[in-house]
Amino acid sequence: MARPKEFDEEIVLQKAMMVFWEKGYESTTMQDLVDAMGINRGSLYATFGDKRALYLRALDHFAENQMSAVLAPLSAVGSKRAAIRRIFVEAANSVTSGGDKRGCMMYNAAIEICPGDRDVSARIANGLKRIEFSFHQALLEAWSKGEISKDKDPLALARTLANSLNGLRVMGRIYDDKSMLDDIVNTSLTVLE
């Protein structure tokens, strides 16, 4: 009879995600994961499989939890333009003054291992489509309420904003210059005027 798990799978998956997010896939060792997750190797392999399988689960976990949190303002009642601005401002603010320099785990994966890995590429594509879709839904509402001009294409705007948010997160990993990031936010959002 198998022993019951003595750990919460979601909690240890969150811990693994944080290690991968901080160090990247290649630089993360199995020992890093065992230490961070607080479980033994046997339990790790039995529950999550090998390092790659765990990484894929961590990417899924990131998409479900972190991306949902970032996109949450789009679901709130009120101005969708204001919600989009809030997302961009929060992204810029999160990295300045000693803030979070990890960037986005999905974008990091795109740069680190995406080109040669179809499973990772598919997850990243789904994540990017989710961002685009969320912006598109918000922009359709903004367009119907007259928050953006009727001559604007909400889908093209959504794609542009998703790309701009990606770029902002990459720049935030490199620079700790609030005024530079504010310039990127303000210029990126001129497409909504």
Side-chain angles (χ1 to χ4, degrees):
M1 182 168 164
R3 285 180 54 190
K5 290 181 187 171
E6 297 178 7
F7 58 88
D8 183 317
E9 196 171 314
E10 286 297 307
I11 291 172
V12 296
L13 181 57
Q14 173 75 15
K15 290 176 180 179
M17 182 198 77
M18 298 301 278
V19 175
F20 284 127
W21 191 3
E22 182 73 33
K23 298 183 82 167
Y25 177 77
E26 293 296 333
S27 294
T28 297
T29 66
M30 287 305 286
Q31 191 60 48
D32 293 332
L33 294 165
V34 167
D35 292 345
M37 296 167 76
I39 62 175
N40 65 46
R41 282 180 192 263
S43 293
L44 189 156
Y45 286 114
T47 304
F48 300 104
D50 62 9
K51 177 181 162 183
R52 183 174 180 281
L54 177 56
Y55 184 68
L56 294 174
R57 291 268 311 267
L59 284 172
D60 292 340
H61 187 76
F62 179 89
E64 182 58 35
N65 296 288
Q66 299 300 124
M67 290 177 70
S68 293
V70 167
L71 298 171
L74 298 176
S75 300
V77 175
S79 167
K80 296 308 175 188
R81 276 183 67 172
I84 291 168
R85 173 166 284 283
R86 179 176 163 200
I87 289 169
F88 274 77
V89 168
E90 287 178 5
N93 289 344
S94 72
V95 298
T96 55
S97 303
D100 186 356
K101 292 292 190 184
R102 293 174 297 183
C104 172
M105 187 177 174
M106 287 285 183
Y107 309 147
N108 298 348
I111 293 165
E112 183 183 17
I113 59 176
C114 178
D117 189 311
R118 287 187 296 177
D119 293 329
V120 172
S121 296
R123 281 167 170 80
I124 294 165
N126 287 338
L128 294 174
K129 284 290 186 189
R130 181 176 176 192
I131 293 168
E132 177 188 307
F133 177 80
S134 298
F135 278 141
H136 186 225
Q137 294 305 299
L139 289 164
L140 286 172
E141 184 177 327
W143 186 80
S144 71
K145 292 182 177 179
E147 284 188 75
I148 60 174
S149 173
K150 294 289 186 188
D151 67 341
K152 302 279 186 176
D153 177 353
L155 182 56
L157 289 175
R159 291 174 173 158
T160 299
L161 290 172
N163 185 63
S164 295
L165 184 62
N166 299 341
L168 176 65
R169 290 198 173 280
V170 170
M171 293 294 284
R173 288 192 71 180
I174 301 164
Y175 300 105
D176 192 19
D177 183 341
K178 176 112 171 71
S179 65
M180 174 197 287
L181 297 178
D182 287 344
D183 286 345
I184 293 169
V185 168
N186 292 327
T187 302
S188 295
L189 297 180
T190 62
V191 300
L192 300 177
E193 295 172 359

